[in-house]
Amino acid sequence: MANVVVIGAQWGDEGKGKITDLLSRSADVVVRYQGGVNAGHTIVVDDKVLKLHLIPSGILYPDTICLIGSGTVIDPKVMLQEMEMLIENDINISGLQVASSAHVTMPYHRVLDEAMEKRRGSKKIGTTGRGIGPTYADKSQRNGIRVIDLLDEEKLRERLKAPLAEKNSLLQKVYEVAPLDSEQIIKEYLDYGERLKPYVVDCSRVIHKAAKNKKNILFEGAQGTLLDLDHGTYPYVTSSNPVSGGACIGAGVGPTLIDRVIGVAKAYTTRVGEGPFPTELKGSINDQLCKRGGEFGTTTGRRRRCGWFDGVIGKYAVEVNGLDCLAITKLDVLDELDQIQVCVAYELNGTKIDHFPSNAEDFGNCTPIFETVPGWKSSTADCRTLEDLPAPAMAYLRFLAELMEVPIAIVSLGANRDQTIVVEDPIHGPKRALLSS
């Protein structure tokens, strides 16, 4: 038995959905602990593509409890749409549960998000415009609406007065946007609350009961380490804490409950939105990676920026998350390349550094120092064991493991569930680990 946290070791979009789906086979409870509909997972099951933004991918397993924790922010409209989509695809959602204390994204949060991003002009952050930042801001200012408030009309009316008055004034006077109608919002969100009511639970109580009964618990983070509010490339970050420590806060558990942390990283690097990206590629190789990797955001559809694997941010992710092992995804995307480059250090103001600089300006001025390794020029899509891999592909994985000083437990070679090599099961204990050498 093990309680495992799955986190993104880059800027998000690493393929956590597939890895979470894979590990969910062994999990009794899957907990989404932060983020909102600004995140997205694409799961491929029997050639059927399912896109989820809030509901954990563990929902595909009928006996698994899927809990959306207190640290998330819920857009009830989107969540209900996801529920309907799953039902239409004959997926049982009886295991779905939502934390009563999770905060709710309201209409004014979305309007404000778009207005603020537009006002930033050339200094835009690259937000998805889904209202996530303003929702977390209201939460921090003790001015938010929670799921439990949607279950009581009197409470919702009282809780809505102050924030709506403030937001309407801001929208009109600062952003020149029409005010929102309180009665319309109340009617709409009471309906959402009524429909969600059967799924609302006390988050931490459910988790601690499962832990007491020796159940396997999988904690699922959204986005990635470099988008963490405190530890990422600020200000080009998200509004919550995707790092492994965020699981304790967002789920309401102590760190002693966590047994292992697995980081998910692509065999190269991508980033959506604004901000520095030292290993970013331009030209034909960038286009090739984007096309072969299907690098378009699940939530926004935006094309992802592509670059070589960055071992500096990889090592940083190992440190801030306490990673026990790695899942390397999309190795097959590199199949056609003659040579592959890996960033092993940076040059900053004429000095070589091997660490992630905390200053955003310094990070933006970093030039990557690369090591070149040979490609394998053959398909890995049908490989199912390490022995099936071409020797240069195996050498590339060993190089990454040595660079990041952490073993690789899982290798993903495509979107389908079966296109995976499981070297070590992070939940049921070690079989054999692909160690650095």
Side-chain angles (χ1 to χ4, degrees):
M1 188 278 290
N3 299 324
V4 177
V5 181
V6 179
I7 62 94
Q10 295 164 323
W11 275 286
D13 308 309
E14 302 96 346
K16 295 184 298 299
K18 178 183 176 179
I19 302 305
T20 303
D21 173 57
L22 179 72
L23 298 178
S24 294
R25 296 181 303 184
S26 305
D28 301 298
V29 181
V30 179
V31 184
R32 165 77 180 274
Y33 62 82
Q34 50 75 225
V37 297
N38 55 336
H41 286 332
T42 300
I43 311 294
V44 181
V45 182
D46 298 328
D47 296 323
K48 184 181 294 184
V49 178
L50 302 174
K51 295 186 177 184
L52 299 171
H53 299 276
L54 275 171
I55 298 176
S57 51
I59 197 68
L60 303 178
Y61 298 94
D63 297 325
T64 302
I65 292 175
C66 287
L67 176 58
I68 300 177
S70 299
T72 59
V73 291
I74 310 292
D75 186 323
K77 182 177 181 179
V78 174
M79 183 170 176
L80 287 163
Q81 288 172 345
E82 286 189 21
M83 292 164 65
E84 290 168 1
M85 179 272 292
L86 291 168
I87 292 170
E88 288 171 0
N89 282 278
D90 298 319
I91 294 170
N92 182 358
I93 65 168
S94 61
L96 180 62
Q97 298 183 358
V98 184
S100 59
S101 52
H103 280 248
V104 177
T105 296
M106 303 297 287
Y108 45 80
H109 292 137
R110 292 189 294 272
V111 176
L112 267 176
D113 200 2
E114 292 176 357
M116 288 189 293
E117 182 74 341
K118 184 178 180 180
R119 177 66 65 92
R120 292 184 184 107
S122 62
K123 295 183 179 181
K124 62 182 180 179
I125 294 172
T127 174
T128 62
R130 301 300 178 94
I132 308 304
T135 308
Y136 275 113
D138 271 3
K139 176 180 179 177
S140 297
Q141 293 171 354
R142 283 84 74 192
N143 211 16
I145 306 293
R146 302 195 296 173
V147 169
I148 196 169
D149 298 326
L150 306 186
L151 309 183
D152 184 313
E153 181 175 351
E154 184 177 344
K155 184 183 294 185
L156 180 59
R157 285 185 179 277
E158 181 60 32
R159 294 290 302 162
L160 188 61
K161 280 181 184 179
L164 184 58
E166 175 191 310
K167 300 305 186 296
N168 273 341
S169 178
L170 192 61
L171 288 171
Q172 288 178 282
K173 296 177 181 178
V174 177
Y175 298 106
E176 299 179 344
V177 175
L180 301 177
D181 180 74
S182 63
E183 288 304 316
Q184 183 177 338
I185 293 173
I186 289 169
K187 181 181 179 181
E188 179 182 357
Y189 278 73
L190 283 175
D191 178 64
Y192 294 152
E194 185 65 28
R195 293 164 65 186
L196 289 175
K197 188 175 182 179
Y199 304 93
V200 177
V201 298
D202 182 327
C203 173
S204 59
R205 186 176 179 185
V206 170
I207 296 172
H208 286 285
K209 183 178 179 180
K212 186 176 181 180
N213 291 327
K214 307 297 182 184
K215 301 295 185 180
N216 293 328
I217 305 171
L218 184 66
F219 298 89
E220 173 187 3
Q223 290 98 22
T225 299
L226 275 296
L227 291 179
D228 188 273
L229 180 61
D230 294 299
H231 306 290
T233 51
Y234 192 90
Y236 303 102
V237 294
T238 192
S239 304
S240 57
N241 294 107
V243 295
S244 60
C248 297
I249 298 169
V253 301
T256 54
L257 190 70
I258 308 300
D259 297 304
R260 305 194 73 184
V261 183
I262 178 170
V264 185
K266 280 177 182 163
Y268 49 102
T269 309
T270 62
R271 176 166 201 176
V272 172
E274 308 300 318
F277 183 2
T279 67
E280 184 172 11
L281 286 161
K282 304 292 184 183
S284 60
I285 298 181
N286 174 69
D287 293 339
Q288 184 177 352
L289 292 179
C290 186
K291 182 178 179 180
R292 282 185 57 83
E295 297 299 352
F296 297 91
T298 302
T299 299
T300 63
R302 290 183 294 184
R303 176 170 169 156
R304 296 175 185 140
R305 301 155 64 190
C306 296
W308 296 120
F309 189 92
D310 190 330
V312 179
I313 67 169
K315 287 186 286 186
Y316 177 70
V318 171
E319 293 171 352
V320 297
N321 292 293
L323 297 186
D324 295 289
C325 57
L326 282 168
I328 298 294
T329 63
K330 295 196 174 184
L331 184 69
D332 56 301
V333 175
L334 305 180
D335 285 351
E336 297 179 355
L337 299 179
D338 293 306
Q339 293 182 324
I340 301 165
Q341 291 189 299
V342 178
C343 174
V344 297
Y346 298 144
E347 182 180 307
L348 176 61
N349 300 326
T351 301
K352 180 181 177 179
I353 62 171
D354 61 0
H355 64 275
F356 171 71
S358 58
N359 184 293
E361 288 188 3
D362 285 345
F363 186 56
N365 290 325
C366 283
T367 301
I369 299 173
F370 289 114
E371 285 195 24
T372 303
V373 298
W376 41 94
K377 296 292 289 183
S378 60
S379 176
T380 59
D382 294 326
C383 296
R384 296 296 178 267
T385 68
L386 293 179
E387 291 73 22
D388 293 338
L389 290 171
M394 186 68 175
Y396 180 66
L397 291 173
R398 288 193 180 278
F399 182 81
L400 298 186
E402 181 178 2
L403 178 63
M404 296 178 66
E405 299 180 348
V406 69
I408 294 173
I410 297 170
V411 181
S412 174
L413 304 153
N416 289 312
R417 281 175 170 175
D418 65 336
Q419 292 179 297
T420 312
I421 299 172
V422 179
V423 186
E424 175 188 338
D425 187 328
I427 290 183
H428 284 305
K431 294 180 181 178
R432 57 192 181 107
L434 176 59
L435 298 170
S436 57
S437 61

